[in-house]
Amino acid sequence: ARRIAHEIKNPLTPIQLAAERLQRRYGKTIEEKDGVFAQLTDTIVRQVGDLRRMVDEFSSFARMPKPVFHPESLIDLTRQAVFLHEVAHSDITFRLDTPEAAPLVCDRRQIGQALTNIIKNAVEAIEARGEDAPPGEINVTLDLGERLMTATIADNGIGLPLERDRIVEPYMTTRARGTGLGLAIVKKIIEEHCGTIAFADRPGGGTVVTIVFDTLQLDALLEDNRDPAETSKGEGALAMLTRTGQKS
């Protein structure tokens, strides 16, 4: 799968560069009223970008690395994921509600990728509404229980599709340009972190995504995979996260 993804990706760069060079060299010499040239070259560049994104997602799904567990702050990971979209979508209101601390044993990169993907889906669901829709809102809530850590992402977008029971299956998508791998990757990441993910209708319209982590199982995974020499360092880091967590 990785080889096929690589072979598909190889010709994409020269195709894109050739189309962009055609735009620069001949775009100004063609009459403005004849927009066919610009439309065709724009289509090439745009479709190459779509292909590149599809290949990247396929390649990522094919070679999902084994998670490397460390004590992290779920508050920081969530805040970073929200910030990435908040900057790009100033017309959407983002709210983050967290406890004073939310220590979680996890693979920082993978959990960050999962949160970013879910929030991206929420943004796209809001953008898919009609022009008369109310202002977009995305609320992210973290809750730390005695054993469970729960992250909830709620949006007021178009809501779940009819095929809601299959949305985490590989290659299942309701979007014209979707690969059907985004939520499949998220599900795989969450499951490898001793967690579950569920989707439900939001009262008043939209979607609620609920992720639940079993913190005791994650702590045990850290102990099983840890070098004995790293034990005291890891315990110190986890204690520091617990003490220094910030309320958002």
Side-chain angles (χ1 to χ4, degrees):
R2 288 195 298 270
R3 188 184 313 133
I4 292 172
H6 179 73
E7 293 300 325
I8 292 174
K9 202 170 182 177
N10 271 343
L12 295 182
T13 297
I15 291 172
Q16 180 176 348
L17 292 176
E20 291 174 346
R21 185 170 182 182
L22 285 171
Q23 287 178 329
R24 290 194 303 269
R25 184 164 183 177
Y26 299 108
K28 295 180 180 179
T29 64
I30 297 175
E31 295 182 12
E32 292 184 4
K33 63 181 180 180
D34 182 7
V36 175
F37 177 81
Q39 290 176 355
L40 293 179
T41 50
D42 286 343
T43 298
I44 294 172
V45 173
R46 185 173 62 253
Q47 293 294 333
V48 166
D50 289 343
L51 277 171
R52 194 187 304 278
R53 177 178 55 80
M54 291 179 188
V55 171
D56 285 341
E57 288 193 7
F58 179 76
S59 184
S60 296
F61 185 70
R63 64 163 187 248
M64 284 290 293
K66 183 179 179 181
V68 178
F69 295 101
H70 294 288
E72 304 286 356
S73 169
L74 188 58
I75 296 175
D76 290 343
L77 295 178
T78 306
R79 186 180 290 121
Q80 290 171 15
V82 169
F83 178 74
L84 288 175
H85 295 286
E86 193 173 24
V87 171
H89 304 280
S90 57
D91 55 328
I92 298 177
T93 299
F94 292 82
R95 297 186 180 91
L96 179 59
D97 183 17
T98 72
E100 292 185 356
L104 183 71
V105 171
C106 66
D107 184 307
R108 182 181 186 90
R109 185 191 63 80
Q110 290 191 10
I111 291 300
Q113 177 184 359
L115 292 171
T116 299
N117 204 320
I118 292 172
I119 296 173
K120 171 177 171 287
N121 284 352
V123 168
E124 292 177 348
I126 289 173
E127 292 179 336
R129 303 174 307 169
E131 296 181 358
D132 306 347
E137 295 181 1
I138 296 177
N139 299 318
V140 183
T141 305
L142 301 181
D143 181 62
L144 177 60
E146 184 174 343
R147 174 169 182 163
L148 301 178
M149 176 84 74
T150 303
T152 305
I153 300 93
D155 67 71
N156 63 341
I158 59 174
L160 293 168
L162 294 177
E163 307 90 338
R164 61 185 62 195
D165 295 334
R166 299 180 54 212
I167 57 177
V168 294
E169 293 180 8
Y171 311 113
M172 169 59 194
T173 182
T174 58
R175 297 191 177 100
R177 297 183 181 179
T179 61
L181 291 174
L183 287 178
I185 292 173
V186 170
K187 180 174 182 286
K188 190 171 183 180
I189 290 173
I190 299 303
E191 288 180 344
E192 291 188 349
H193 281 75
C194 306
T196 60
I197 182 169
F199 302 83
D201 294 316
R202 174 182 173 272
T207 303
V208 178
V209 181
T210 304
I211 303 171
V212 180
F213 298 102
D214 188 320
T215 56
L216 291 185
Q217 286 190 29
L218 286 170
D219 290 344
L221 284 176
L222 181 65
E223 293 297 332
D224 291 342
N225 296 332
R226 184 187 294 169
D227 186 321
E230 295 292 321
T231 299
S232 59
K233 183 192 301 183
E235 290 175 348
L238 191 59
M240 182 179 297
L241 285 172
T242 304
R243 291 196 304 270
T244 62
Q246 299 176 355
K247 185 174 181 64
S248 175

